[in-house]
């Protein structure tokens, strides 16, 4: 699996187009439009959270500095008097459910984020 990931990442950043991914693009567009329609029609429901939320993600495949950006943002918010928290899905972790991640948490369990 790692070999496929490395190959796709290399192709992603190359100057050559990745034509074989175009059907996946169409599938993504179809699924996204369907999901949006389900939310707009009220079949899928969304809820409001009791606190403001800032989402940092999908800047690029990886290595673009999202984690340092989040850490900087949290520090800036703390200095402004806020009490921010960080929620992550824990890329690569073995634990499938949400749990509190601390500095002592095993990255093999909770992921590398």
């Amino acid at each position: 699996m790692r070999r496929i990931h490395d190959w796709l990442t290399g192709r992603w950043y190359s100057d050559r187009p990745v034509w074989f991914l175009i059907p996946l693009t169409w599938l993504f567009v179809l699924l996204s439009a369907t999901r949006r329609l389900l939310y707009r029609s009220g079949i899928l429901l969304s809820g409001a959270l009791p606190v403001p939320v800032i989402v940092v993600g999908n800047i690029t495949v990886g290595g673009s500095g999202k984690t340092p950006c989040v850490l900087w943002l949290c520090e800036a918010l703390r200095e402004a008097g806020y009490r921010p928290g960080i929620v992550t899905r824990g890329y690569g972790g073995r634990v499938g459910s949400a749990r509190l991640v601390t500095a002592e948490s095993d990255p093999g369990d909770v992921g590398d984020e």
Side-chain angles (χ1 to χ4, degrees), residues 20-103:
F20 68 90
L21 292 178
I22 289 176
L24 292 177
T25 302
W26 297 333
L27 178 63
F28 178 80
V29 168
L30 177 66
L31 292 174
S32 296
T34 302
R35 185 171 183 260
R36 188 170 34 254
L37 178 66
L38 292 173
Y39 274 109
R40 287 185 177 168
S41 65
I43 295 171
L44 291 179
L45 302 176
S46 63
L49 296 174
V51 295
V53 176
I54 299 172
V55 178
V56 177
N58 295 329
I59 296 172
T60 187
V61 180
S64 63
K66 294 181 290 287
T67 300
C69 176
V70 168
L71 295 174
W72 174 86
L73 181 59
C74 281
E75 187 57 35
L77 289 169
R78 277 191 199 105
E79 290 175 6
Y82 294 94
R83 296 180 359 193
I86 300 173
V87 177
T88 178
R89 68 178 185 93
Y91 179 76
R94 290 187 293 257
V95 177
S97 60
R99 67 180 276 191
L100 179 64
V101 178
T102 66

